[in-house]
Amino acid sequence: SLLPPRQEHQAPLLSRRAPAIRPLAPLRGGAPASSSPLPIADPDAPSSSIDADATVTLKLFITYGLENGEVVATGPTAAFGSDDLSRAVRLKLVDKKSNIWSAEVKVSLAEGSVDYHYVVKSHDTRYESRICPRSVSLAGLAPDSVIDVHDGFRSAKYYVLATSCFSKAIFGKGNGEGSAQTENRVVETQDLRWPELEEGQTAVRLHVFAPRVSAGHSVWIRGNSEGLGRWAKDKMCPMVHIGGRIYVGQVVVSKGDKNVEFKLAVVDSEGAIVCEEKDVHKLPVEASGQNPYTTHDVSFVYPNPTYKTAGVSIPVSGIRTETSTGMGEFLDLKKVAEWCAKTGLQIVQILPINDSGEDPSPYSASSSFALHPCYVTPRAVADYYSSKMGLDMSGITGWASSLVEKLNHNHKIDYARVLGEKQKIMDAVYDLVGRDQILEDEGFQEWLRASEGWVKVYAAFKVQLVKEKQFNNKWFDTSCWSKKVSETEALTNAHSENYDQVIRVYFTQYHLHLQLLEASRYAESLGVAIKGDIPIGVTRCSSDVWAEPNLFKLNMNCGAPGDPEQNWGFPPYNWPEMHRDGCSWWKRRLRHMDQYFHAYRIDHVLGFFRMWEIPQRGGGGQYFPSGGLREAGLKNLRAIQTASSMLICGEDLGNVPDEVPPVLLELGICGLRIQRWCDGQTWKYPYLAVGASSCHDCSPCRLWWNEEWGGAEGWYNYFIGKGQCPGGPPDWISQKIIKMHCEGTSLLTVNPIQDYIDMWQKLRSSDPKQDMINRPGTTDGCWVYRCHLNMEALLKEDNFNGFIKKMMQETKRGVVY
């Protein structure tokens, strides 16, 4: 354990009791009297006994066009094969003309609800979206009841809008308590009860996928039956939210009603309808058969059918504010989020932020969990202890202010100096507060317990690294260290000579966590998502390799073919070993990231299909695996998808095998399109894509225009085609490039801040070479970029910001309804 045993009076970190269900806010003028909302089980009522042998039958129907193959249904219960595809429920094609598949499944009534999903097994295997799991409530049913379940295949392409990028940030704006008062009531599926029916009645339950619902808004239904208000807008029926942006509504219809007709609507916090479907849904009740209980999958049909959004990319280190300490810090993301909110942008994409030690490259991670100490704001740490413990931190805050004055004028990042100065001031804060007070802080204790799975090993790694550097000329390879991970307890316990240094490591990571979490939550409250970045590998000198060397091929290096061959120096993943425990390392890593990010970019996603592997001791490399790429990519990527609800984007540049794009599409993973590296026709980009004018691994557009005149001239002749290609380029060219991406067909366009700023002549940097972030193949001048404008100044540029906002509105980027 990281801390002494918790005393009895201390509260548990997590309550096992679900939060109380919020009351549903009525429409203006009171709740519709004639509506029939779903009966919800009382969570405090005693549970009624159910015969353990009692069952109900689910009669599944799904429409899917398939020439060869079959459709199966699988899930965690024994009735659905316990998630084993070989034992899944096999559906039969019962209507070839309409492509309807069906099967009957007996399930235990005691389950309360049943979860399952469909898989299409053909020459390829297709899976439904992981974000919106299916569930059917059994509560209120009598033994031997039958439910007709009419499903639609939930393709990942369309269900990406249910990821936390949208549901929690862009649409949800943090899902705050204020908004929650007027949103749909949130319930668990098993708490939805089927009603008691009279002779000739049918209960129709609708499972509606409505991903685009703004914070504070709610989904309602009106239709032709008495239970749906007879089309009256003031008598609409409320729905409930069961998660994954699935809303459930229910109506009881009589024998004489042949069809259920309805429309769905979104209502704002004041009770006004802000979005309603144009056309009517029609469900033939009699076609459901003789069974009195039926469910139907329905999708909300928005008047604006295709949602698209836009964002900005900037390394955290490259952000400049009036209070930055020589480089960007986590709390500086708040100013970037404010600028996004002002301009209509909805995503901030950053580079990796994990600890890379003294290496300024963010892709040289020495831990997949720990955050880099260079991003801490010392002044905020001092304020924390001043506010929480009443300590006099004036000396520290004065020191922090002097560092800002000393370092913030630098045009480039002086990485070593910034890191050294921050280490000194963090040590000073630690010494002033004192180890005992730090350890007694309840917030610190709570974080430490939640982080126990990684932080102890990381701290042991950090203290041992210092020692290895003193005597081991192979300190950069943990497989050659004098201490093994099995000695972590001896290195970190309270009796160890390293104990004080260990607590200092915890102390720094705790405040990095608090500051990044604060920035992330602030951004999402503004409707802005933070998109992180996962390097394709970790270095040999990393806590991950030290702790779990079996997960890596330590006799090989990753790289890329070519002349000369690229050798990246870090070991490839040992995928067979990773799959032994269900890719636990990946899942732990992504759940950790899920605290801070709403989306993430996988660097070199091709490495999940195959990797160019080079023997560590020399010799030419080769791709591994050399075949079966689809199966490898699908297996590896599906394993990590289930770990979080973040939107996944994959950097799929370079020599892309044919198997890659279909897999990314099927899994709902956005690819990447850099205009100069493809045909540039943004109006033909796939929907599941991130369109970008440039990126951190190439020159910003203005520099490209000057350095690669042939490419710039070709772009001009193809996309403009009038007159001579101008030098510079003028700002209208930069505006054209960004607007093309906003007008394009990709779900996301995320462009570097340099390319946005270059749209405005007076705001441009004096030398475009200063705007370069990284030049692959060299280390000279890399990773030292700082934006030449501070965010406070950029926020005051009303004409420029208004220009971007208008562009977003005209191209319908960020338009919810």
Side-chain angles (χ1 to χ4, degrees):
S1 176
L2 298 172
L3 291 168
R6 189 168 47 209
Q7 300 301 313
E8 289 299 321
H9 67 272
Q10 290 180 289
L13 298 182
L14 295 173
S15 172
R16 294 188 178 275
R17 180 176 175 80
I21 296 175
R22 297 186 295 266
L24 182 71
L27 290 172
R28 183 187 300 163
S34 63
S35 66
S36 56
L38 292 104
I40 309 296
D42 182 356
D44 297 320
S47 58
S48 57
S49 63
I50 298 176
D51 186 344
D53 296 325
T55 63
V56 297
T57 299
L58 302 185
K59 195 170 183 179
L60 305 178
F61 298 91
I62 187 169
T63 302
Y64 197 97
L66 186 63
E67 291 185 3
N68 296 298
E70 64 176 345
V71 179
V72 302
T74 184
T77 62
F80 282 92
S82 302
D83 285 326
D84 181 349
L85 270 184
S86 66
R87 294 158 49 202
V89 174
R90 302 175 66 179
L91 282 75
K92 294 181 179 180
L93 184 61
V94 296
D95 186 337
K96 291 185 178 180
K97 184 177 180 180
S98 300
N99 296 313
I100 298 176
W101 299 75
S102 182
E104 293 188 8
V105 188
K106 284 190 179 296
V107 296
S108 171
L109 187 57
E111 295 283 350
S113 65
V114 179
D115 297 336
Y116 64 99
H117 61 274
Y118 292 102
V119 178
V120 177
K121 300 171 69 175
S122 182
H123 60 282
D124 293 332
T125 303
R126 286 201 64 197
Y127 298 87
E128 288 195 290
S129 169
R130 79 200 193 285
I131 296 298
C132 303
R134 296 182 176 281
S135 56
V136 175
S137 169
L138 309 178
L141 295 174
D144 302 320
S145 295
V146 179
I147 310 176
D148 285 347
V149 181
H150 298 267
D151 291 328
F153 192 82
R154 294 180 177 175
S155 169
K157 176 180 179 180
Y158 302 105
Y159 281 75
V160 293
L161 295 182
T163 59
S164 59
C165 179
F166 303 98
S167 63
K168 187 177 180 182
I170 293 175
F171 303 145
K173 293 190 175 181
N175 306 126
E177 282 301 316
S179 298
Q181 298 305 314
T182 55
E183 293 175 348
N184 295 88
R185 187 175 180 178
V186 179
V187 302
E188 298 291 335
T189 301
Q190 62 264 29
D191 291 331
L192 300 178
R193 294 186 60 84
W194 289 95
E196 295 183 9
L197 300 175
E198 298 178 2
E199 182 69 26
Q201 288 185 325
T202 299
V204 180
R205 186 170 287 177
L206 305 173
H207 290 211
V208 176
F209 178 56
R212 289 150 56 185
V213 181
S214 293
H217 294 187
S218 54
V219 183
W220 294 68
I221 183 173
R222 65 188 180 104
N224 63 341
S225 69
E226 182 66 26
L228 296 179
R230 297 291 184 192
W231 293 113
K233 290 186 177 181
D234 62 343
K235 295 182 179 180
M236 292 195 297
C237 179
M239 308 188 81
V240 295
H241 185 198
I242 60 171
R245 292 292 171 157
I246 302 294
Y247 298 84
V248 180
Q250 179 174 290
V251 62
V252 175
V253 295
S254 300
K255 187 175 182 179
D257 294 322
K258 294 185 178 180
N259 294 292
V260 175
E261 297 183 359
F262 63 92
K263 279 187 177 184
L264 301 163
V266 177
V267 173
D268 69 13
S269 59
E270 298 298 319
I273 295 176
V274 292
C275 178
E276 187 173 39
E277 295 178 309
K278 293 180 179 179
D279 298 323
V280 173
H281 294 272
K282 296 183 179 181
L283 296 178
V285 177
E286 289 185 345
S288 298
Q290 302 301 314
N291 301 317
Y293 303 102
T294 180
T295 72
H296 289 267
D297 265 3
V298 180
S299 290
F300 195 115
V301 181
Y302 292 88
N304 172 27
T306 305
Y307 176 81
K308 300 181 296 182
T309 188
V312 61
S313 61
I314 183 171
V316 173
S317 59
I319 305 170
R320 185 191 295 267
T321 68
E322 293 175 353
T323 57
S324 301
T325 315
M327 65 185 296
E329 299 160 345
F330 288 148
L331 290 176
D332 292 334
L333 283 166
K334 296 170 74 172
K335 291 294 181 184
V336 181
E338 289 176 8
W339 181 69
C340 285
K342 196 164 192 174
T343 56
L345 302 177
Q346 295 178 316
I347 297 174
V348 178
Q349 177 177 308
I350 61 177
L351 296 183
I353 52 172
N354 294 105
D355 186 5
S356 60
E358 298 172 356
D359 191 334
S361 170
Y363 292 94
S364 297
S366 59
S367 171
S368 295
F369 297 85
L371 302 171
H372 204 303
C374 69
Y375 297 120
V376 74
T377 300
R379 181 193 66 261
V381 179
D383 291 344
Y384 175 90
Y385 290 106
S386 175
S387 172
K388 196 164 190 177
M389 298 181 180
L391 300 177
D392 181 5
M393 307 297 290
S394 57
I396 298 293
T397 54
W399 184 358
S401 297
S402 69
L403 284 180
V404 171
E405 294 175 8
K406 186 189 301 184
L407 300 173
N408 213 19
H409 68 279
N410 293 343
H411 295 296
K412 297 180 180 180
I413 298 171
D414 187 342
Y415 186 82
R417 187 181 181 192
V418 170
L419 196 57
E421 294 286 1
K422 287 194 174 183
Q423 183 63 62
K424 291 177 187 175
I425 195 169
M426 288 296 287
D427 281 341
V429 175
Y430 177 93
D431 292 336
L432 180 59
V433 177
R435 188 174 75 194
D436 290 345
Q437 285 203 80
I438 290 170
L439 287 172
E440 290 169 3
D441 179 2
E442 291 183 2
F444 178 81
Q445 291 181 11
E446 182 175 336
W447 169 82
L448 205 50
R449 291 192 185 94
S451 306
E452 187 170 3
W454 66 270
V455 75
K456 183 192 289 189
V457 169
Y458 168 71
F461 164 81
K462 292 292 282 187
V463 298
Q464 187 59 29
L465 176 60
V466 174
K467 296 179 180 180
E468 296 289 337
K469 284 184 175 181
Q470 295 172 355
F471 66 84
N472 186 348
N473 61 5
K474 293 186 177 180
W475 59 266
F476 48 83
D477 185 346
T478 56
S479 66
C480 301
W481 278 17
S482 62
K483 298 286 187 181
K484 303 300 180 184
V485 72
S486 58
E487 299 173 82
T488 292
E489 188 62 35
L491 289 168
T492 59
N493 68 52
H495 304 292
S496 166
E497 64 178 1
N498 312 302
Y499 188 60
D500 193 67
Q501 188 58 40
V502 166
I503 303 304
R504 289 176 189 268
V505 173
Y506 296 163
F507 163 76
T508 299
Q509 287 298 313
Y510 172 57
H511 287 285
L512 287 163
H513 160 77
L514 289 181
Q515 293 178 13
L516 179 54
L517 193 64
E518 178 182 335
S520 175
R521 288 180 174 173
Y522 182 76
E524 68 186 30
S525 75
L526 299 177
V528 176
I530 305 294
K531 180 183 174 186
D533 195 332
I534 296 182
I536 184 57
V538 294
T539 66
R540 293 177 182 276
C541 186
S542 66
S543 58
D544 303 273
V545 173
W546 188 56
E548 300 178 82
N550 59 307
L551 301 182
F552 306 89
K553 297 181 180 180
L554 297 180
N555 62 331
M556 306 294 284
N557 283 336
C558 293
D563 187 14
E565 181 182 60
Q566 296 180 35
N567 190 327
W568 300 337
F570 52 82
Y573 297 123
N574 184 348
W575 283 109
E577 188 66 25
M578 286 188 161
H579 282 290
R580 284 182 185 276
D581 65 356
C583 292
S584 171
W585 179 80
W586 273 105
K587 291 176 180 178
R588 284 182 277 122
R589 183 182 188 183
L590 290 167
R591 286 169 187 148
H592 182 70
M593 289 179 62
D594 200 25
Q595 300 174 90
Y596 315 117
F597 302 127
H598 311 98
Y600 64 93
R601 169 189 178 271
I602 300 176
D603 177 45
H604 193 64
V605 74
L606 306 184
F608 281 74
F609 294 80
R610 68 179 185 184
M611 179 60 75
W612 187 260
E613 298 185 0
I614 308 165
Q616 188 186 13
R617 304 303 178 188
Q622 61 181 355
Y623 280 118
F624 184 86
S626 57
L629 301 189
R630 175 184 167 81
E631 292 74 19
L634 196 62
K635 183 178 182 180
N636 296 338
L637 288 169
R638 270 188 57 79
I640 71 169
Q641 267 199 322
T642 58
S644 80
S645 60
M646 293 182 284
L647 174 68
I648 306 176
C649 303
E651 182 267 289
D652 55 345
L653 304 175
N655 183 19
V656 182
D658 293 340
E659 295 88 343
V660 173
V663 170
L664 299 187
L665 175 64
E666 290 167 28
L667 297 181
I669 298 175
C670 295
L672 177 61
R673 298 292 183 275
I674 305 293
Q675 189 179 35
R676 74 188 71 163
W677 291 342
C678 61
D679 63 15
Q681 299 178 26
T682 57
W683 59 91
K684 292 184 179 179
Y685 285 177
Y687 181 66
L688 284 189
V690 181
S693 52
S694 64
C695 68
H696 67 276
D697 272 341
C698 67
S699 52
C701 289
R702 183 162 66 108
L703 180 57
W704 170 70
W705 199 273
N706 286 276
E707 290 187 337
E708 299 183 36
W709 179 250
E713 193 172 34
W715 183 96
Y716 181 86
N717 291 334
Y718 187 82
F719 293 111
I720 306 298
K722 295 179 181 179
Q724 287 286 103
C725 179
D731 56 7
W732 67 266
I733 290 286
S734 298
Q735 294 169 12
K736 172 68 175 178
I737 291 172
I738 296 296
K739 190 170 185 181
M740 284 182 68
H741 284 79
C742 292
E743 291 173 334
T745 49
S746 60
L747 168 61
L748 309 176
T749 179
V750 180
N751 305 296
I753 196 167
Q754 303 97 307
D755 291 345
Y756 281 112
I757 290 174
D758 283 343
M759 293 195 300
W760 221 243
Q761 183 67 42
K762 75 167 192 170
L763 297 181
R764 288 179 166 183
S765 63
S766 58
D767 182 359
K769 292 182 179 178
Q770 295 178 358
D771 297 337
M772 193 74 180
I773 296 173
N774 179 47
R775 290 185 184 271
T778 181
T779 57
D780 185 38
C782 297
W783 314 117
V784 296
Y785 164 77
R786 295 191 75 196
C787 184
H788 63 288
L789 300 175
N790 67 48
M791 295 308 303
E792 291 86 351
L794 200 56
L795 281 163
K796 295 176 182 177
E797 292 290 340
D798 292 338
N799 291 337
F800 172 63
N801 296 331
F803 175 82
I804 298 176
K805 183 76 174 277
K806 183 180 179 183
M807 182 184 292
M808 297 304 125
Q809 293 170 338
E810 290 177 345
T811 58
K812 295 189 181 300
R813 290 274 166 181
V815 177
V816 180
Y817 308 125

